[in-house]
Amino acid sequence: MRIPPRIRAAARAAARAASRPAAALAVAATAAGLLAGCSAEPDAAPENPAQTTPSTGRAPGADSLAAGLAFPMDRYRITDADQRTLELARNALITTCMSRYGLDYTPPGPAPASGLPPYAHLYGVDDPVHASVHGYRHPADLDPHAYSRGEPELSAEERLVLHGDEESARPPEITHDPEGEQPAGAHRTGEPGSAADADAHTHTHSDAHTHSDAGADADTEAGAEGAPAPEVNGRRVPATGCYGEAQLTINEPGTDWVDPTFIHQLEDEAGHAADDDPRVAELLGEWAACMAGRGYPDARSPLTAVEDLGLTDIMDQAAIAAAEHDVACKKETGLVARWAAVDAEYQERVIAEHAEVLADYERQHGERMERARAVLGR
């Protein structure tokens, strides 16, 4: 059974967000903003966030069937400790940059880790206790830090200096392709809170290495061609703003720079390939048969269960009942562990296929962390 690629990509993006729900990945935000020609702004909270304290009294994800899952690509994921260091360094650079323009600005601090298993809900709802209270609501949505962390109200002048002249900034040119293919352009990634938009994961591996002229242009004047660059307190504003300048300082993207979202792209490439594996089709058939036996004949995949069942409120009583049966069928069929085993096999394959690029990425990440620690005086 083929799962729609966008649904699969969204599920994986949600799993990544659960592990680091509050922050733009300090590295991936560069791809999200700077490689698109402008800097990125923080996520906004939903108008009606879910309650943050489950009535069960248990931590979200405590009973998740995904607890303890590990994958080969994990070695390339940025740890929570590294993420915090990157954010602190970025914030220190932003504060210094803003002060050059006579502006007193303090960025929101790093959010605490969510405490969720890194792969919670990767295969749909997977915690029986959570399902009994919140239905199909993703546990990351219950975290008050999953969205905006209190970005201060900014004046037009402060916004210009922080984010640059977004209307006139131009995307960098792609000039290097290690695979020998025609440049396909920089990643189109999502908001910094999500590390990468689902559409970003449909690119081919030729997008892995990108060249950003922005590394040399951090202090380039903003403003459209022929137009004077905007100034604040007598100083010209860099096209990327202080946010972008800080990102560029930490990342130093060059001719062989590996876009950090490439890691997520490979995860999804492996996941999509696993979706077509006969073992997954058999597994989904077993899960669907279990759901049919429990009164849900329209359920065809745990990743599309809400749509399959026509649920309009993912937390009402109907959704809660369906989610409880969904988790029970995952337990009965061993879906999470079996599907994860297939995913792991395909991850090993993409790692072998892209070993050289991944080695570059590991080296560059080590250098990135050295620069971040130097900013912090560590």
Side-chain angles (χ1 to χ4, degrees):
M1 179 182 296
R2 175 65 177 168
I3 300 172
R6 289 185 60 86
I7 298 298
R8 175 70 184 215
R12 287 178 174 264
R16 288 192 299 276
S19 62
R20 299 179 187 87
L25 205 53
V27 183
T30 299
L34 301 180
L35 292 183
C38 61
S39 54
E41 299 187 45
D43 282 345
E47 294 184 4
N48 298 299
Q51 295 296 318
T52 60
T53 305
S55 61
T56 62
R58 295 180 62 80
D63 298 281
S64 170
L65 301 177
L69 282 185
F71 292 95
M73 289 295 298
D74 288 350
R75 64 177 291 187
Y76 304 105
R77 298 186 98 207
I78 296 177
T79 66
D80 288 334
D82 280 0
Q83 171 68 21
R84 178 176 176 81
T85 297
L86 289 166
E87 288 191 53
L88 289 173
R90 180 198 63 199
N91 288 351
L93 291 169
I94 289 173
T95 300
T96 299
C97 176
M98 295 288 282
S99 69
R100 295 203 307 265
Y101 296 86
L103 301 175
D104 185 13
Y105 173 79
T106 302
S114 69
L116 288 169
Y119 297 104
H121 274 221
L122 181 60
Y123 305 105
V125 60
D126 58 21
D127 185 327
V129 178
H130 175 87
S132 69
V133 178
H134 300 291
Y136 280 98
R137 172 74 67 181
H138 196 293
D141 293 336
L142 306 179
D143 184 349
H145 302 290
Y147 301 97
S148 174
R149 284 168 289 151
E151 176 75 43
E153 193 76 25
L154 299 177
S155 66
E157 188 176 70
E158 289 170 328
R159 182 172 293 277
L160 172 63
V161 175
L162 179 61
H163 297 297
D165 188 0
E166 298 177 354
E167 292 185 0
S168 58
R170 294 291 182 264
E173 179 184 1
I174 305 304
T175 60
H176 178 68
D177 178 15
E179 304 292 344
E181 301 177 12
Q182 292 297 316
H187 286 306
R188 296 193 303 274
T189 55
E191 299 86 6
S194 64
D197 182 79
D199 286 345
H201 308 304
T202 63
H203 295 300
T204 65
H205 60 270
S206 63
D207 292 324
H209 280 235
T210 60
H211 171 60
S212 174
D213 292 329
D217 296 341
D219 294 318
T220 298
E221 300 167 3
E225 184 176 352
E231 294 187 0
V232 172
N233 292 332
R235 296 183 66 95
R236 290 174 175 173
V237 178
T240 62
C242 286
Y243 188 102
E245 182 181 277
Q247 296 283 54
L248 288 165
T249 298
I250 293 171
N251 286 286
E252 291 189 3
T255 56
D256 65 344
W257 187 63
V258 181
D259 183 335
T261 59
F262 182 55
I263 304 305
H264 306 316
Q265 178 186 338
L266 288 186
E267 289 179 329
D268 287 321
E269 180 181 319
H272 293 322
D275 291 346
D276 288 329
D277 190 288
R279 291 170 293 177
V280 172
E282 179 182 357
L283 177 58
L284 293 179
E286 292 177 19
W287 177 88
C290 176
M291 289 292 285
R294 291 169 175 264
Y296 298 95
D298 296 325
R300 65 187 184 93
S301 166
L303 297 186
T304 57
V306 171
E307 293 80 9
D308 294 346
L309 302 178
L311 299 173
T312 57
D313 183 339
I314 61 174
M315 291 181 64
D316 65 11
Q317 289 304 309
I320 288 174
E324 290 179 312
H325 288 295
D326 186 334
V327 177
C329 285
K330 286 188 174 77
K331 283 185 174 181
E332 183 176 315
T333 59
L335 181 142
V336 172
R338 290 168 61 191
W339 200 340
V342 178
D343 275 342
E345 288 185 22
Y346 283 90
Q347 284 194 13
E348 292 283 11
R349 296 182 188 184
V350 298
I351 288 172
E353 182 181 353
H354 300 281
E356 183 177 347
V357 180
L358 289 170
D360 285 343
Y361 172 80
E362 285 191 294
R363 172 181 54 79
Q364 291 169 18
H365 180 62
E367 295 168 352
R368 178 164 43 240
M369 294 308 303
E370 288 179 5
R371 289 189 290 270
R373 285 189 286 268
V375 168
L376 299 173
R378 297 178 182 176

